[in-house]
Amino acid sequence: DAGVIQSPRHEVTEMGQEVTLRCKPISGHNSLFWYRQTMMRGLELLIYFNNNVPIDDSGMPEDRFSAKMPNASFSTLKIQPSEPRDSAVYFCASSAEEYNEQFFGPGTRLTVL
Amino acid sequence: KQEVTQIPAALSVPEGENLVLNCSFTDSAIYNLQWFRQDPGKGLTSLLLIQSSQREQTSGRLNASLDKSSGRSTLYIAASQPGDSATYLCAVRPSGYSTLTFGKGTMLLVSP
């Protein structure tokens, strides 16, 4: 079975540009999570969806960040406009149910110049 | 607010040693706890999930224990191998919440 799929794996962009990160959860999983990992702050939850509905977006840093889940097999995380401090590794994870074991994708390494 | 601490931040051992990684959390009202492994530049791989009603879980050479009342979990690795070298992360799911709170991890190096 394919695990969680994320694209792109690496993204380098200039400050002010729009960035879109993509995630395909494991088939049949109902919950999807977006995390950000930095050296300083470790892993932090940005937002999570249950049955395609955003449940908790309290971790989204500011209005520049937005996330969507138009269907059960696809989610996007958009940053517009991007800033150098957004540079991090962004992970997507999914689980069969909200409280179950989470499975992570390989991550997208974002560098904003 | 739940806080998760992992000590030590880094650990270096010779191959073959048994070792223990520690995780502590501030709020004992948890639903479950999950241990992950992260290789450099890679995503997280789930190792073990312990429900709040369980005391331990085992998978191969790995054994994770949970003492909810004291806010502690340990990950025991038996007969360590160079391939075990990675960062190990502990994550707690508070009761009533779907989200995980992560520790900063323990970076393990097993030398041949």
Side-chain angles (χ1 to χ4, degrees), chain A residues 33 35 37 40-43 45 48 91 98-102 104-106, chain B residues 31-32 34 36 38 41-44 46 49 93 96-100 102 104:
Chain A
F33 306 81
Y35 292 90
Q37 186 177 40
M40 289 295 296
R41 301 173 67 91
L43 263 164
L45 178 75
Y48 89 91
F91 288 103
E98 282 185 271
Y99 296 92
N100 284 19
E101 188 175 8
Q102 290 186 18
F104 279 67
Chain B
Y31 187 82
N32 55 36
Q34 197 166 349
F36 294 88
Q38 185 174 27
K42 305 285 187 181
L44 279 68
S46 179
L49 175 74
R93 182 178 282 104
Y97 291 89
S98 306
T99 60
L100 290 170
F102 281 84
K104 293 284 183 69

PDB file of all heavy atoms in Angstrom, chain A residues 33 35 37 40-43 45 48 91 98-102 104-106, chain B residues 31-32 34 36 38 41-44 46 49 93 96-100 102 104:
ATOM      1  N   PHE A  33      -3.658  15.596   8.874  1.00  0.00           N
ATOM      2  CA  PHE A  33      -2.991  16.580   9.722  1.00  0.00           C
ATOM      3  C   PHE A  33      -1.869  17.240   8.932  1.00  0.00           C
ATOM      4  O   PHE A  33      -1.132  16.561   8.216  1.00  0.00           O
ATOM      5  CB  PHE A  33      -2.388  15.897  10.957  1.00  0.00           C
ATOM      6  CG  PHE A  33      -3.373  15.075  11.752  1.00  0.00           C
ATOM      7  CD1 PHE A  33      -3.710  13.788  11.352  1.00  0.00           C
ATOM      8  CD2 PHE A  33      -3.942  15.587  12.907  1.00  0.00           C
ATOM      9  CE1 PHE A  33      -4.612  13.027  12.084  1.00  0.00           C
ATOM     10  CE2 PHE A  33      -4.844  14.830  13.653  1.00  0.00           C
ATOM     11  CZ  PHE A  33      -5.178  13.549  13.239  1.00  0.00           C
ATOM     12  N   TYR A  35       1.640  19.405   9.675  1.00  0.00           N
ATOM     13  CA  TYR A  35       2.609  19.808  10.690  1.00  0.00           C
ATOM     14  C   TYR A  35       3.733  20.610  10.045  1.00  0.00           C
ATOM     15  O   TYR A  35       4.010  20.480   8.866  1.00  0.00           O
ATOM     16  CB  TYR A  35       3.245  18.581  11.359  1.00  0.00           C
ATOM     17  CG  TYR A  35       2.345  17.750  12.219  1.00  0.00           C
ATOM     18  CD1 TYR A  35       1.623  16.681  11.684  1.00  0.00           C
ATOM     19  CD2 TYR A  35       2.242  17.985  13.591  1.00  0.00           C
ATOM     20  CE1 TYR A  35       0.809  15.891  12.480  1.00  0.00           C
ATOM     21  CE2 TYR A  35       1.428  17.196  14.397  1.00  0.00           C
ATOM     22  CZ  TYR A  35       0.720  16.154  13.827  1.00  0.00           C
ATOM     23  OH  TYR A  35      -0.084  15.368  14.618  1.00  0.00           O
ATOM     24  N   GLN A  37       7.942  21.486  10.883  1.00  0.00           N
ATOM     25  CA  GLN A  37       9.080  21.143  11.731  1.00  0.00           C
ATOM     26  C   GLN A  37      10.219  22.111  11.496  1.00  0.00           C
ATOM     27  O   GLN A  37      10.678  22.300  10.362  1.00  0.00           O
ATOM     28  CB  GLN A  37       9.557  19.704  11.468  1.00  0.00           C
ATOM     29  CG  GLN A  37      10.652  19.244  12.415  1.00  0.00           C
ATOM     30  CD  GLN A  37      11.054  17.806  12.172  1.00  0.00           C
ATOM     31  OE1 GLN A  37      11.152  17.340  11.053  1.00  0.00           O
ATOM     32  NE2 GLN A  37      11.266  17.059  13.256  1.00  0.00           N
ATOM     33  N   MET A  40      14.182  25.122  15.798  1.00  0.00           N
ATOM     34  CA  MET A  40      13.903  25.872  17.024  1.00  0.00           C
ATOM     35  C   MET A  40      12.663  25.366  17.746  1.00  0.00           C
ATOM     36  O   MET A  40      12.651  25.242  18.970  1.00  0.00           O
ATOM     37  CB  MET A  40      13.730  27.360  16.701  1.00  0.00           C
ATOM     38  CG  MET A  40      15.015  28.053  16.313  1.00  0.00           C
ATOM     39  SD  MET A  40      16.184  28.082  17.694  1.00  0.00           S
ATOM     40  CE  MET A  40      15.281  29.101  18.860  1.00  0.00           C
ATOM     41  N   ARG A  41      11.606  25.083  16.998  1.00  0.00           N
ATOM     42  CA  ARG A  41      10.311  24.803  17.610  1.00  0.00           C
ATOM     43  C   ARG A  41       9.886  23.337  17.529  1.00  0.00           C
ATOM     44  O   ARG A  41       8.859  22.952  18.100  1.00  0.00           O
ATOM     45  CB  ARG A  41       9.248  25.685  16.977  1.00  0.00           C
ATOM     46  CG  ARG A  41       9.534  27.189  17.139  1.00  0.00           C
ATOM     47  CD  ARG A  41       8.543  28.036  16.346  1.00  0.00           C
ATOM     48  NE  ARG A  41       7.199  27.916  16.912  1.00  0.00           N
ATOM     49  CZ  ARG A  41       6.713  28.717  17.856  1.00  0.00           C
ATOM     50  NH1 ARG A  41       7.471  29.688  18.349  1.00  0.00           N
ATOM     51  NH2 ARG A  41       5.489  28.555  18.307  1.00  0.00           N
ATOM     52  N   GLY A  42      10.673  22.521  16.827  1.00  0.00           N
ATOM     53  CA  GLY A  42      10.299  21.121  16.681  1.00  0.00           C
ATOM     54  C   GLY A  42       9.088  20.954  15.790  1.00  0.00           C
ATOM     55  O   GLY A  42       8.873  21.746  14.874  1.00  0.00           O
ATOM     56  N   LEU A  43       8.296  19.931  16.062  1.00  0.00           N
ATOM     57  CA  LEU A  43       7.102  19.636  15.273  1.00  0.00           C
ATOM     58  C   LEU A  43       5.883  20.324  15.866  1.00  0.00           C
ATOM     59  O   LEU A  43       5.577  20.141  17.041  1.00  0.00           O
ATOM     60  CB  LEU A  43       6.835  18.130  15.252  1.00  0.00           C
ATOM     61  CG  LEU A  43       7.345  17.366  14.053  1.00  0.00           C
ATOM     62  CD1 LEU A  43       7.354  15.880  14.348  1.00  0.00           C
ATOM     63  CD2 LEU A  43       6.485  17.650  12.829  1.00  0.00           C
ATOM     64  N   LEU A  45       1.661  21.241  15.147  1.00  0.00           N
ATOM     65  CA  LEU A  45       0.464  21.036  14.344  1.00  0.00           C
ATOM     66  C   LEU A  45      -0.025  22.367  13.806  1.00  0.00           C
ATOM     67  O   LEU A  45      -0.138  23.351  14.544  1.00  0.00           O
ATOM     68  CB  LEU A  45      -0.635  20.402  15.185  1.00  0.00           C
ATOM     69  CG  LEU A  45      -1.953  20.180  14.455  1.00  0.00           C
ATOM     70  CD1 LEU A  45      -1.825  18.981  13.514  1.00  0.00           C
ATOM     71  CD2 LEU A  45      -3.093  19.966  15.444  1.00  0.00           C
ATOM     72  N   TYR A  48      -5.863  20.370  11.319  1.00  0.00           N
ATOM     73  CA  TYR A  48      -6.246  19.022  10.962  1.00  0.00           C
ATOM     74  C   TYR A  48      -7.704  18.972  10.507  1.00  0.00           C
ATOM     75  O   TYR A  48      -8.520  19.799  10.895  1.00  0.00           O
ATOM     76  CB  TYR A  48      -5.948  18.021  12.074  1.00  0.00           C
ATOM     77  CG  TYR A  48      -7.025  17.793  13.099  1.00  0.00           C
ATOM     78  CD1 TYR A  48      -7.982  16.799  12.938  1.00  0.00           C
ATOM     79  CD2 TYR A  48      -7.037  18.532  14.271  1.00  0.00           C
ATOM     80  CE1 TYR A  48      -8.940  16.573  13.905  1.00  0.00           C
ATOM     81  CE2 TYR A  48      -7.995  18.311  15.243  1.00  0.00           C
ATOM     82  CZ  TYR A  48      -8.947  17.322  15.067  1.00  0.00           C
ATOM     83  OH  TYR A  48      -9.890  17.089  16.020  1.00  0.00           O
ATOM     84  N   PHE A  91       5.048  18.592   7.021  1.00  0.00           N
ATOM     85  CA  PHE A  91       4.625  17.197   6.957  1.00  0.00           C
ATOM     86  C   PHE A  91       3.108  17.102   6.921  1.00  0.00           C
ATOM     87  O   PHE A  91       2.403  17.870   7.570  1.00  0.00           O
ATOM     88  CB  PHE A  91       5.121  16.415   8.178  1.00  0.00           C
ATOM     89  CG  PHE A  91       6.591  16.143   8.197  1.00  0.00           C
ATOM     90  CD1 PHE A  91       7.448  16.879   9.002  1.00  0.00           C
ATOM     91  CD2 PHE A  91       7.130  15.133   7.412  1.00  0.00           C
ATOM     92  CE1 PHE A  91       8.798  16.628   9.025  1.00  0.00           C
ATOM     93  CE2 PHE A  91       8.484  14.872   7.427  1.00  0.00           C
ATOM     94  CZ  PHE A  91       9.327  15.624   8.236  1.00  0.00           C
ATOM     95  N   GLU A  98      -9.787   9.710  14.147  1.00  0.00           N
ATOM     96  CA  GLU A  98      -9.138  10.863  14.778  1.00  0.00           C
ATOM     97  C   GLU A  98      -8.131  10.472  15.848  1.00  0.00           C
ATOM     98  O   GLU A  98      -7.095  11.106  15.996  1.00  0.00           O
ATOM     99  CB  GLU A  98     -10.198  11.754  15.425  1.00  0.00           C
ATOM    100  CG  GLU A  98     -10.940  12.634  14.453  1.00  0.00           C
ATOM    101  CD  GLU A  98     -11.892  13.569  15.189  1.00  0.00           C
ATOM    102  OE1 GLU A  98     -13.044  13.161  15.408  1.00  0.00           O
ATOM    103  OE2 GLU A  98     -11.462  14.668  15.535  1.00  0.00           O
ATOM    104  N   TYR A  99      -8.431   9.451  16.646  1.00  0.00           N
ATOM    105  CA  TYR A  99      -7.581   9.146  17.790  1.00  0.00           C
ATOM    106  C   TYR A  99      -6.606   8.002  17.513  1.00  0.00           C
ATOM    107  O   TYR A  99      -5.931   7.532  18.411  1.00  0.00           O
ATOM    108  CB  TYR A  99      -8.450   8.788  18.994  1.00  0.00           C
ATOM    109  CG  TYR A  99      -9.315   9.932  19.451  1.00  0.00           C
ATOM    110  CD1 TYR A  99     -10.606  10.102  18.967  1.00  0.00           C
ATOM    111  CD2 TYR A  99      -8.817  10.868  20.361  1.00  0.00           C
ATOM    112  CE1 TYR A  99     -11.388  11.162  19.371  1.00  0.00           C
ATOM    113  CE2 TYR A  99      -9.598  11.927  20.775  1.00  0.00           C
ATOM    114  CZ  TYR A  99     -10.882  12.064  20.280  1.00  0.00           C
ATOM    115  OH  TYR A  99     -11.649  13.128  20.678  1.00  0.00           O
ATOM    116  N   ASN A 100      -6.549   7.563  16.283  1.00  0.00           N
ATOM    117  CA  ASN A 100      -5.703   6.412  15.951  1.00  0.00           C
ATOM    118  C   ASN A 100      -4.275   6.819  15.617  1.00  0.00           C
ATOM    119  O   ASN A 100      -3.943   7.989  15.519  1.00  0.00           O
ATOM    120  CB  ASN A 100      -6.315   5.648  14.767  1.00  0.00           C
ATOM    121  CG  ASN A 100      -7.510   4.826  15.172  1.00  0.00           C
ATOM    122  OD1 ASN A 100      -8.112   5.059  16.208  1.00  0.00           O
ATOM    123  ND2 ASN A 100      -7.867   3.867  14.344  1.00  0.00           N
ATOM    124  N   GLU A 101      -3.482   5.814  15.393  1.00  0.00           N
ATOM    125  CA  GLU A 101      -2.080   5.986  15.017  1.00  0.00           C
ATOM    126  C   GLU A 101      -1.979   6.855  13.761  1.00  0.00           C
ATOM    127  O   GLU A 101      -2.717   6.663  12.792  1.00  0.00           O
ATOM    128  CB  GLU A 101      -1.500   4.600  14.751  1.00  0.00           C
ATOM    129  CG  GLU A 101      -0.015   4.547  14.533  1.00  0.00           C
ATOM    130  CD  GLU A 101       0.469   3.101  14.388  1.00  0.00           C
ATOM    131  OE1 GLU A 101      -0.392   2.196  14.306  1.00  0.00           O
ATOM    132  OE2 GLU A 101       1.691   2.888  14.354  1.00  0.00           O
ATOM    133  N   GLN A 102      -1.028   7.818  13.788  1.00  0.00           N
ATOM    134  CA  GLN A 102      -0.827   8.695  12.647  1.00  0.00           C
ATOM    135  C   GLN A 102       0.348   8.197  11.809  1.00  0.00           C
ATOM    136  O   GLN A 102       1.372   7.777  12.347  1.00  0.00           O
ATOM    137  CB  GLN A 102      -0.563  10.126  13.121  1.00  0.00           C
ATOM    138  CG  GLN A 102      -1.780  10.794  13.732  1.00  0.00           C
ATOM    139  CD  GLN A 102      -1.558  12.248  14.070  1.00  0.00           C
ATOM    140  OE1 GLN A 102      -0.626  12.895  13.583  1.00  0.00           O
ATOM    141  NE2 GLN A 102      -2.425  12.788  14.906  1.00  0.00           N
ATOM    142  N   PHE A 104       2.937   9.372   8.714  1.00  0.00           N
ATOM    143  CA  PHE A 104       3.458  10.597   8.133  1.00  0.00           C
ATOM    144  C   PHE A 104       3.961  10.405   6.706  1.00  0.00           C
ATOM    145  O   PHE A 104       4.459   9.335   6.344  1.00  0.00           O
ATOM    146  CB  PHE A 104       4.626  11.121   8.975  1.00  0.00           C
ATOM    147  CG  PHE A 104       4.182  11.885  10.197  1.00  0.00           C
ATOM    148  CD1 PHE A 104       3.527  11.252  11.231  1.00  0.00           C
ATOM    149  CD2 PHE A 104       4.418  13.252  10.297  1.00  0.00           C
ATOM    150  CE1 PHE A 104       3.104  11.965  12.350  1.00  0.00           C
ATOM    151  CE2 PHE A 104       4.007  13.969  11.411  1.00  0.00           C
ATOM    152  CZ  PHE A 104       3.344  13.317  12.436  1.00  0.00           C
ATOM    153  N   GLY A 105       3.847  11.473   5.930  1.00  0.00           N
ATOM    154  CA  GLY A 105       4.460  11.517   4.619  1.00  0.00           C
ATOM    155  C   GLY A 105       5.932  11.895   4.723  1.00  0.00           C
ATOM    156  O   GLY A 105       6.425  12.180   5.818  1.00  0.00           O
ATOM    157  N   PRO A 106       6.649  11.932   3.588  1.00  0.00           N
ATOM    158  CA  PRO A 106       8.085  12.215   3.594  1.00  0.00           C
ATOM    159  C   PRO A 106       8.415  13.683   3.819  1.00  0.00           C
ATOM    160  O   PRO A 106       9.563  14.020   4.088  1.00  0.00           O
ATOM    161  CB  PRO A 106       8.542  11.777   2.200  1.00  0.00           C
ATOM    162  CG  PRO A 106       7.312  11.945   1.362  1.00  0.00           C
ATOM    163  CD  PRO A 106       6.167  11.602   2.243  1.00  0.00           C
TER     164      PRO A 106
ATOM    165  N   TYR B  31      -4.862  10.313  26.061  1.00  0.00           N
ATOM    166  CA  TYR B  31      -5.617   9.248  25.398  1.00  0.00           C
ATOM    167  C   TYR B  31      -4.675   8.125  24.974  1.00  0.00           C
ATOM    168  O   TYR B  31      -4.957   6.948  25.150  1.00  0.00           O
ATOM    169  CB  TYR B  31      -6.358   9.817  24.192  1.00  0.00           C
ATOM    170  CG  TYR B  31      -7.300   8.852  23.542  1.00  0.00           C
ATOM    171  CD1 TYR B  31      -8.574   8.650  24.063  1.00  0.00           C
ATOM    172  CD2 TYR B  31      -6.932   8.152  22.398  1.00  0.00           C
ATOM    173  CE1 TYR B  31      -9.458   7.769  23.459  1.00  0.00           C
ATOM    174  CE2 TYR B  31      -7.797   7.268  21.797  1.00  0.00           C
ATOM    175  CZ  TYR B  31      -9.065   7.085  22.334  1.00  0.00           C
ATOM    176  OH  TYR B  31      -9.922   6.200  21.746  1.00  0.00           O
ATOM    177  N   ASN B  32      -3.556   8.500  24.367  1.00  0.00           N
ATOM    178  CA  ASN B  32      -2.515   7.537  24.033  1.00  0.00           C
ATOM    179  C   ASN B  32      -1.196   8.258  23.797  1.00  0.00           C
ATOM    180  O   ASN B  32      -1.130   9.498  23.843  1.00  0.00           O
ATOM    181  CB  ASN B  32      -2.900   6.663  22.824  1.00  0.00           C
ATOM    182  CG  ASN B  32      -3.269   7.465  21.589  1.00  0.00           C
ATOM    183  OD1 ASN B  32      -2.690   8.502  21.318  1.00  0.00           O
ATOM    184  ND2 ASN B  32      -4.244   6.986  20.835  1.00  0.00           N
ATOM    185  N   GLN B  34       2.518   7.951  21.360  1.00  0.00           N
ATOM    186  CA  GLN B  34       3.087   7.317  20.175  1.00  0.00           C
ATOM    187  C   GLN B  34       4.573   7.623  20.100  1.00  0.00           C
ATOM    188  O   GLN B  34       4.995   8.774  20.291  1.00  0.00           O
ATOM    189  CB  GLN B  34       2.358   7.836  18.922  1.00  0.00           C
ATOM    190  CG  GLN B  34       2.531   7.018  17.673  1.00  0.00           C
ATOM    191  CD  GLN B  34       1.522   7.410  16.582  1.00  0.00           C
ATOM    192  OE1 GLN B  34       0.562   8.143  16.805  1.00  0.00           O
ATOM    193  NE2 GLN B  34       1.757   6.908  15.378  1.00  0.00           N
ATOM    194  N   PHE B  36       7.926   7.620  17.597  1.00  0.00           N
ATOM    195  CA  PHE B  36       8.293   7.678  16.185  1.00  0.00           C
ATOM    196  C   PHE B  36       9.803   7.632  16.048  1.00  0.00           C
ATOM    197  O   PHE B  36      10.542   7.997  16.955  1.00  0.00           O
ATOM    198  CB  PHE B  36       7.825   8.998  15.541  1.00  0.00           C
ATOM    199  CG  PHE B  36       6.346   9.175  15.451  1.00  0.00           C
ATOM    200  CD1 PHE B  36       5.640   9.739  16.497  1.00  0.00           C
ATOM    201  CD2 PHE B  36       5.653   8.812  14.313  1.00  0.00           C
ATOM    202  CE1 PHE B  36       4.274   9.941  16.415  1.00  0.00           C
ATOM    203  CE2 PHE B  36       4.281   9.009  14.208  1.00  0.00           C
ATOM    204  CZ  PHE B  36       3.599   9.577  15.272  1.00  0.00           C
ATOM    205  N   GLN B  38      12.718   9.125  13.240  1.00  0.00           N
ATOM    206  CA  GLN B  38      12.941   9.995  12.085  1.00  0.00           C
ATOM    207  C   GLN B  38      14.394   9.899  11.647  1.00  0.00           C
ATOM    208  O   GLN B  38      15.306  10.228  12.405  1.00  0.00           O
ATOM    209  CB  GLN B  38      12.583  11.452  12.403  1.00  0.00           C
ATOM    210  CG  GLN B  38      12.679  12.367  11.181  1.00  0.00           C
ATOM    211  CD  GLN B  38      12.187  13.777  11.460  1.00  0.00           C
ATOM    212  OE1 GLN B  38      12.225  14.259  12.589  1.00  0.00           O
ATOM    213  NE2 GLN B  38      11.705  14.454  10.426  1.00  0.00           N
ATOM    214  N   GLY B  41      16.519  13.880   7.083  1.00  0.00           N
ATOM    215  CA  GLY B  41      15.911  14.255   5.812  1.00  0.00           C
ATOM    216  C   GLY B  41      14.690  13.440   5.429  1.00  0.00           C
ATOM    217  O   GLY B  41      14.214  13.522   4.289  1.00  0.00           O
ATOM    218  N   LYS B  42      14.185  12.670   6.364  1.00  0.00           N
ATOM    219  CA  LYS B  42      13.047  11.796   6.059  1.00  0.00           C
ATOM    220  C   LYS B  42      11.838  12.148   6.916  1.00  0.00           C
ATOM    221  O   LYS B  42      11.916  12.981   7.828  1.00  0.00           O
ATOM    222  CB  LYS B  42      13.415  10.331   6.320  1.00  0.00           C
ATOM    223  CG  LYS B  42      14.643   9.862   5.600  1.00  0.00           C
ATOM    224  CD  LYS B  42      14.391   9.644   4.128  1.00  0.00           C
ATOM    225  CE  LYS B  42      15.600   9.007   3.464  1.00  0.00           C
ATOM    226  NZ  LYS B  42      15.388   8.811   2.015  1.00  0.00           N
ATOM    227  N   GLY B  43      10.731  11.468   6.620  1.00  0.00           N
ATOM    228  CA  GLY B  43       9.535  11.649   7.431  1.00  0.00           C
ATOM    229  C   GLY B  43       9.601  10.830   8.706  1.00  0.00           C
ATOM    230  O   GLY B  43      10.625  10.229   9.019  1.00  0.00           O
ATOM    231  N   LEU B  44       8.511  10.812   9.433  1.00  0.00           N
ATOM    232  CA  LEU B  44       8.441  10.072  10.689  1.00  0.00           C
ATOM    233  C   LEU B  44       7.860   8.688  10.440  1.00  0.00           C
ATOM    234  O   LEU B  44       6.875   8.547   9.719  1.00  0.00           O
ATOM    235  CB  LEU B  44       7.553  10.813  11.691  1.00  0.00           C
ATOM    236  CG  LEU B  44       8.167  11.966  12.460  1.00  0.00           C
ATOM    237  CD1 LEU B  44       8.470  13.143  11.560  1.00  0.00           C
ATOM    238  CD2 LEU B  44       7.254  12.387  13.609  1.00  0.00           C
ATOM    239  N   SER B  46       6.155   5.532  12.412  1.00  0.00           N
ATOM    240  CA  SER B  46       5.548   5.145  13.681  1.00  0.00           C
ATOM    241  C   SER B  46       6.143   3.828  14.161  1.00  0.00           C
ATOM    242  O   SER B  46       6.258   2.867  13.407  1.00  0.00           O
ATOM    243  CB  SER B  46       4.031   4.990  13.496  1.00  0.00           C
ATOM    244  OG  SER B  46       3.430   4.592  14.706  1.00  0.00           O
ATOM    245  N   LEU B  49       2.438   2.471  19.491  1.00  0.00           N
ATOM    246  CA  LEU B  49       1.345   3.283  20.035  1.00  0.00           C
ATOM    247  C   LEU B  49       0.880   2.613  21.314  1.00  0.00           C
ATOM    248  O   LEU B  49       0.578   1.410  21.316  1.00  0.00           O
ATOM    249  CB  LEU B  49       0.198   3.370  19.035  1.00  0.00           C
ATOM    250  CG  LEU B  49      -1.068   4.091  19.512  1.00  0.00           C
ATOM    251  CD1 LEU B  49      -0.844   5.586  19.547  1.00  0.00           C
ATOM    252  CD2 LEU B  49      -2.262   3.761  18.629  1.00  0.00           C
ATOM    253  N   ARG B  93      -1.101  12.276  22.932  1.00  0.00           N
ATOM    254  CA  ARG B  93      -2.430  12.729  22.508  1.00  0.00           C
ATOM    255  C   ARG B  93      -3.266  12.950  23.769  1.00  0.00           C
ATOM    256  O   ARG B  93      -3.645  11.996  24.446  1.00  0.00           O
ATOM    257  CB  ARG B  93      -3.096  11.710  21.600  1.00  0.00           C
ATOM    258  CG  ARG B  93      -4.476  12.152  21.091  1.00  0.00           C
ATOM    259  CD  ARG B  93      -5.097  11.133  20.144  1.00  0.00           C
ATOM    260  NE  ARG B  93      -4.519  11.217  18.818  1.00  0.00           N
ATOM    261  CZ  ARG B  93      -3.643  10.353  18.328  1.00  0.00           C
ATOM    262  NH1 ARG B  93      -3.229   9.338  19.062  1.00  0.00           N
ATOM    263  NH2 ARG B  93      -3.175  10.485  17.098  1.00  0.00           N
ATOM    264  N   GLY B  96      -9.524  13.718  24.795  1.00  0.00           N
ATOM    265  CA  GLY B  96     -10.477  14.627  24.174  1.00  0.00           C
ATOM    266  C   GLY B  96      -9.942  15.379  22.980  1.00  0.00           C
ATOM    267  O   GLY B  96     -10.658  16.191  22.390  1.00  0.00           O
ATOM    268  N   TYR B  97      -8.705  15.125  22.616  1.00  0.00           N
ATOM    269  CA  TYR B  97      -8.106  15.811  21.480  1.00  0.00           C
ATOM    270  C   TYR B  97      -7.589  14.789  20.472  1.00  0.00           C
ATOM    271  O   TYR B  97      -7.108  13.732  20.837  1.00  0.00           O
ATOM    272  CB  TYR B  97      -6.949  16.712  21.921  1.00  0.00           C
ATOM    273  CG  TYR B  97      -7.382  17.902  22.729  1.00  0.00           C
ATOM    274  CD1 TYR B  97      -7.497  17.822  24.117  1.00  0.00           C
ATOM    275  CD2 TYR B  97      -7.685  19.104  22.114  1.00  0.00           C
ATOM    276  CE1 TYR B  97      -7.896  18.911  24.858  1.00  0.00           C
ATOM    277  CE2 TYR B  97      -8.091  20.201  22.852  1.00  0.00           C
ATOM    278  CZ  TYR B  97      -8.188  20.094  24.218  1.00  0.00           C
ATOM    279  OH  TYR B  97      -8.583  21.179  24.950  1.00  0.00           O
ATOM    280  N   SER B  98      -7.670  15.156  19.203  1.00  0.00           N
ATOM    281  CA  SER B  98      -7.148  14.281  18.158  1.00  0.00           C
ATOM    282  C   SER B  98      -5.685  14.557  17.884  1.00  0.00           C
ATOM    283  O   SER B  98      -5.013  13.745  17.263  1.00  0.00           O
ATOM    284  CB  SER B  98      -7.931  14.485  16.859  1.00  0.00           C
ATOM    285  OG  SER B  98      -9.302  14.317  17.079  1.00  0.00           O
ATOM    286  N   THR B  99      -5.210  15.707  18.308  1.00  0.00           N
ATOM    287  CA  THR B  99      -3.875  16.143  17.894  1.00  0.00           C
ATOM    288  C   THR B  99      -2.789  15.633  18.820  1.00  0.00           C
ATOM    289  O   THR B  99      -3.028  15.351  19.997  1.00  0.00           O
ATOM    290  CB  THR B  99      -3.815  17.668  17.844  1.00  0.00           C
ATOM    291  OG1 THR B  99      -4.105  18.171  19.152  1.00  0.00           O
ATOM    292  CG2 THR B  99      -4.840  18.214  16.863  1.00  0.00           C
ATOM    293  N   LEU B 100      -1.587  15.522  18.276  1.00  0.00           N
ATOM    294  CA  LEU B 100      -0.421  15.077  19.025  1.00  0.00           C
ATOM    295  C   LEU B 100       0.440  16.262  19.439  1.00  0.00           C
ATOM    296  O   LEU B 100       0.608  17.203  18.672  1.00  0.00           O
ATOM    297  CB  LEU B 100       0.425  14.137  18.163  1.00  0.00           C
ATOM    298  CG  LEU B 100      -0.152  12.753  17.849  1.00  0.00           C
ATOM    299  CD1 LEU B 100       0.709  12.057  16.801  1.00  0.00           C
ATOM    300  CD2 LEU B 100      -0.230  11.923  19.112  1.00  0.00           C
ATOM    301  N   PHE B 102       4.306  16.925  20.426  1.00  0.00           N
ATOM    302  CA  PHE B 102       5.583  16.236  20.262  1.00  0.00           C
ATOM    303  C   PHE B 102       6.646  16.767  21.209  1.00  0.00           C
ATOM    304  O   PHE B 102       6.688  17.964  21.532  1.00  0.00           O
ATOM    305  CB  PHE B 102       6.101  16.424  18.830  1.00  0.00           C
ATOM    306  CG  PHE B 102       5.460  15.525  17.825  1.00  0.00           C
ATOM    307  CD1 PHE B 102       4.252  15.873  17.245  1.00  0.00           C
ATOM    308  CD2 PHE B 102       6.057  14.333  17.447  1.00  0.00           C
ATOM    309  CE1 PHE B 102       3.653  15.049  16.308  1.00  0.00           C
ATOM    310  CE2 PHE B 102       5.465  13.508  16.520  1.00  0.00           C
ATOM    311  CZ  PHE B 102       4.257  13.861  15.947  1.00  0.00           C
ATOM    312  N   LYS B 104      10.948  17.206  21.572  1.00  0.00           N
ATOM    313  CA  LYS B 104      11.963  17.645  20.615  1.00  0.00           C
ATOM    314  C   LYS B 104      12.804  16.479  20.088  1.00  0.00           C
ATOM    315  O   LYS B 104      13.551  16.626  19.135  1.00  0.00           O
ATOM    316  CB  LYS B 104      12.886  18.677  21.268  1.00  0.00           C
ATOM    317  CG  LYS B 104      12.198  19.993  21.601  1.00  0.00           C
ATOM    318  CD  LYS B 104      11.981  20.835  20.386  1.00  0.00           C
ATOM    319  CE  LYS B 104      11.361  22.182  20.690  1.00  0.00           C
ATOM    320  NZ  LYS B 104      12.266  23.085  21.406  1.00  0.00           N
TER     321      LYS B 104
END
